Amino acid sequence: MNYKEEITKAMTKLAQQPDTIFIGQSIAYPGHVLFHTLEGVPMEKRLEFPVAEDFQLGFSIGLALMGYLPISVYPRMDFLVLALNQIVNHLDKIPEMSAGQYTPKVIIRTLVGSKTPMNPGPQHCQDYTEALRKMISIPVYRIKAPEAVSFIYNKALEQKQSCIIVEIADLYD
Amino acid sequence: MPQSYKGWTATKLIAFEKEIADIYLMGKIHAPIHLSGGNEEQLLRIFKEIKTDDWCFATYRSHYHALLKGCPKAWIKEEIIKGNSIHLMNKKHKFFTSAIVGGICPIAVGVAMGIKMRGDKNHVWCFVGEMAAHMGIFDECLRYALWHELPINFVIEDNGFSTNTPTEEVWGGQIYFDSAKTYKYERTWPHIGCGQWVEFR
């Protein structure tokens, strides 16, 4: 299977888990390549969200506090930057601040925008993986090849901790 | 008319903060403290509506809220002495705070959505300062919660200042949200600490 097919398979598996819910833009409505990777995700597990990146991440934390496993989706890593407040100050710090009482788990899924055949410019194709790794203790996984997709998404599912998964849109073809 | 709730009165709340201030002045708390004061009657009235199973989200100034939510007094005192005044958390009592201004709003809305999705009957209460209520994140959260009919109440606690920045002066006017409870008060303690130098040994 190619990269996109592997991602689609991983999303279908996530959707089959109890209490998972997919949140973000292009989740219930087409508009980005990631929409097509959700073909195995039933509509009742999809929550189309307004463009409100920081709100979306905090909202995902709230759902996680209620026992859900949100897959919070950001179509481009450039947009995830707008959610850094909630990632850095809350998702990453709540377990420490609460002495382990609250351990919300959120799987954050994002993509590095493709540069070919069209280059969208400096605001739509940046890769901030290394910067994130320096800022937070939450693991940041970058999927470099189709063979790694199921391993990384399975790991995300099995571990207790939140994580950020970075896909490479240029590998989708 | 003076209020009381779960055995708490304004006098008892004020005495608790005085006790914390005394401990702080002895240099026994090596962390910031944000004392409540001046809003006892308002909070006593509001907490009468808050049920044991409800969630309560509050700010870095949350000692009164924690007491009124039912967190044990001894536990709160212990946490404050440990340095956690700024972010008191108690899962058993569904009590959650953060020291990031406005940061709790989306988390509270997410919990409210979870309650609605599960068909539960409890409710979320989210307390914010008036400066936070001027932030874009508050507007997003309030709008979303209203549109989706989520079980959440926002309470704006307006003491006119964020730290020592006068909110009305920098934002140019007051806010009135029909869909959020607002109460005004004059704080009786400084933003941080208790107005005296502390010697740490």
Side-chain angles (χ1 to χ4, degrees):
Chain A
M1 281 195 282
N2 65 27
Y3 192 87
K4 186 180 165 191
E5 288 166 343
E6 287 284 1
I7 298 278
T8 305
K9 188 177 132 193
M11 294 304 111
T12 304
K13 183 176 178 183
L14 280 174
Q16 289 164 350
Q17 310 307 310
D19 295 324
T20 48
I21 180 162
F22 293 72
I23 305 167
Q25 292 93 53
S26 298
I27 296 295
Y29 299 94
H32 190 274
V33 64
L34 70 85
F35 175 81
H36 303 290
T37 67
L38 302 175
E39 62 187 29
V41 179
M43 276 297 170
E44 62 268 23
K45 285 220 165 195
R46 305 190 201 187
L47 182 58
E48 188 76 10
F49 214 73
V51 179
E53 290 85 356
D54 200 49
F55 176 24
Q56 178 184 321
L57 211 295
F59 182 90
S60 301
I61 294 171
L63 280 173
L65 291 176
M66 283 297 296
Y68 287 93
L69 175 53
I71 295 95
S72 205
V73 181
Y74 292 84
R76 293 180 189 272
M77 210 168 187
D78 317 78
F79 308 159
L80 185 65
V81 171
L82 289 150
L84 278 181
N85 170 40
Q86 288 293 340
I87 295 172
V88 174
N89 288 317
H90 287 131
L91 188 62
D92 189 46
K93 306 296 187 301
I94 288 169
E96 180 187 347
M97 285 159 57
S98 69
Q101 293 178 85
Y102 293 117
T103 53
K105 175 177 171 179
V106 178
I107 296 175
I108 300 168
R109 179 189 172 197
T110 190
L111 289 85
V112 176
S114 64
K115 292 177 183 164
T116 56
M118 291 192 298
N119 189 325
Q123 293 177 321
H124 274 49
C125 59
Q126 298 300 324
D127 183 349
Y128 295 114
T129 302
E130 290 308 319
L132 282 171
R133 284 176 177 158
K134 287 179 181 169
M135 292 177 78
I136 54 176
S137 60
I138 292 168
V140 184
Y141 305 125
R142 191 170 181 275
I143 307 180
K144 297 176 191 167
E147 304 78 50
V149 172
S150 67
F151 174 77
I152 288 177
Y153 272 105
N154 283 338
K155 191 173 178 180
L157 193 57
E158 287 161 12
Q159 70 184 33
K160 290 184 177 174
Q161 207 179 6
S162 297
C163 66
I164 299 175
I165 297 178
V166 183
E167 299 169 14
I168 315 296
D170 268 333
L171 300 178
Y172 263 61
D173 288 335
Chain B
M1 184 178 173
Q3 307 283 321
S4 70
Y5 178 66
K6 288 183 177 174
W8 286 103
T9 62
T11 306
K12 286 182 180 175
L13 290 170
I14 291 166
F16 179 83
E17 292 296 56
K18 177 70 170 57
E19 188 182 345
I20 298 298
D22 290 342
I23 297 168
Y24 183 75
L25 286 172
M26 285 189 276
K28 290 185 176 176
I29 304 173
H30 291 229
I33 57 165
H34 298 280
L35 300 170
S36 297
N39 55 346
E40 295 81 12
E41 294 295 336
Q42 295 94 324
L43 285 179
L44 284 163
R45 199 172 298 119
I46 291 166
F47 269 84
K48 284 180 180 175
E49 293 183 55
I50 301 177
K51 297 184 174 66
T52 305
D53 199 35
D54 287 351
W55 282 78
C56 179
F57 288 81
T59 68
Y60 53 81
R61 191 185 311 285
S62 68
H63 300 174
Y64 280 178
H65 306 72
L67 290 166
L68 294 170
K69 185 63 179 67
C71 301
K73 179 184 166 185
W75 175 83
I76 297 171
K77 188 174 154 186
E78 189 183 324
E79 286 295 307
I80 294 168
I81 291 169
K82 280 198 285 189
N84 296 328
S85 166
I86 202 166
H87 46 66
L88 289 173
M89 302 269 205
N90 192 309
K91 187 177 181 182
K92 183 182 171 192
H93 292 276
K94 294 188 168 72
F95 189 73
F96 189 107
T97 73
S98 167
I100 300 297
V101 174
I104 51 167
C105 299
I107 302 174
V109 174
V111 167
M113 177 59 95
I115 289 171
K116 183 178 178 181
M117 285 162 49
R118 291 218 187 278
D120 294 345
K121 299 294 176 202
N122 54 341
H123 203 85
V124 178
W125 293 79
C126 183
F127 291 81
V128 298
E130 86 286 344
M131 186 71 95
H134 279 82
M135 294 171 73
I137 190 69
F138 181 80
D139 182 63
E140 292 171 17
C141 290
L142 182 64
R143 176 191 286 238
Y144 189 91
L146 287 171
W147 177 245
H148 293 276
E149 298 181 331
L150 301 184
I152 183 168
N153 274 81
F154 290 95
V155 181
I156 302 170
E157 306 180 287
D158 182 359
N159 63 19
F161 295 94
S162 176
T163 62
N164 292 319
T165 303
T167 305
E168 203 171 324
E169 184 181 313
V170 294
W171 270 116
Q174 297 201 3
I175 42 161
Y176 298 98
F177 291 115
D178 291 339
S179 40
K181 287 176 185 284
T182 304
Y183 75 84
K184 286 178 178 288
Y185 75 104
E186 270 187 48
R187 64 189 186 191
T188 55
W189 293 100
H191 162 65
I192 190 168
C194 49
Q196 296 177 50
W197 291 106
V198 178
E199 187 179 342
F200 293 108
R201 298 193 177 107

